């Protein structure tokens, strides 16, 4: 059974950069064809898609975040990473990684759109 686990620093100062990692167990990020996504949920708001890496290594970014976001993966460690730069308080959210069979780049996201989710990691931007 595939499981995802996010990790990150928790508290970050404004203007800094945060790196979050999603470690995948029970399956490989390079087999079959899936999209490995980063999704966040600010307090009191809905889910926001941030970007994804496909099984073949193709990378997709949300247009609204593309200038501040970088995605990468380490296939030897079966994990993928989100880097978000120039943080502000508006980036405070719970960040999730999730696996999906289809690429969904916007609109109203539902948890059912993805078949495996991590538990999420809280990122708070504050001085």
């Amino acid at each position: 059974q595939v499981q995802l686990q996010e990790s990150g620093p928790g508290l970050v100062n404004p203007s800094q950069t945060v790196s979050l990692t999603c470690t995948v167990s029970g399956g490989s990020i390079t087999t079959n064809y899936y999209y490995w996504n980063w999704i966040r949920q600010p307090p009191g708001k809905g889910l926001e898609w941030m970007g994804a890496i496909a099984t073949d290594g193709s990378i997709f970014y949300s247009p609204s975040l593309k200038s501040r976001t970088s995605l990468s993966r380490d296939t030897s460690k079966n994990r993928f990473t989100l880097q978000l730069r120039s943080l502000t308080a508006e980036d405070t959210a719970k960040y999730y990684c999730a696996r999906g069979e289809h690429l969904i780049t916007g609109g109203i996201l539902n948890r059912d759109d993805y078949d495996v989710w991590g538990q999420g990691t809280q990122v708070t931007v504050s001085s």
Side-chain angles (χ1 to χ4, degrees):
Q1 182 176 358
V2 174
Q3 294 183 320
L4 309 181
Q5 180 65 59
E6 305 90 344
S7 58
L11 181 63
V12 187
N13 289 324
S15 81
Q16 290 192 334
T17 296
V18 67
S19 290
L20 305 177
T21 297
C22 181
T23 301
V24 180
S25 60
S28 172
I29 61 174
T30 61
T31 59
N32 298 313
Y33 204 88
Y34 290 107
Y35 296 93
W36 302 90
N37 300 269
W38 283 102
I39 296 163
R40 67 180 181 180
Q41 186 167 28
K45 297 185 179 181
L47 298 170
E48 179 186 14
W49 181 77
M50 302 181 70
I53 300 179
T55 301
D56 66 1
S58 301
I59 298 176
F60 307 87
Y61 293 104
S62 166
S64 64
L65 295 169
K66 185 175 182 178
S67 64
R68 300 195 292 129
T69 305
S70 296
L71 299 185
S72 61
R73 67 178 185 175
D74 184 340
T75 57
S76 68
K77 296 182 179 179
N78 211 37
R79 66 189 190 191
F80 57 105
T81 299
L82 166 75
Q83 185 183 74
L84 185 62
R85 299 177 289 276
S86 304
L87 292 170
T88 71
E90 292 186 349
D91 294 311
T92 293
K94 195 158 189 179
Y95 287 72
Y96 298 92
C97 54
R99 188 184 76 172
E101 294 184 359
H102 307 286
L103 183 65
I104 302 171
T105 62
I108 299 175
L109 299 184
N110 296 301
R111 293 190 71 91
D112 290 343
D113 291 331
Y114 305 90
D115 63 343
V116 185
W117 286 80
Q119 292 185 330
T121 186
Q122 178 68 35
V123 174
T124 300
V125 182
S126 175
S127 56

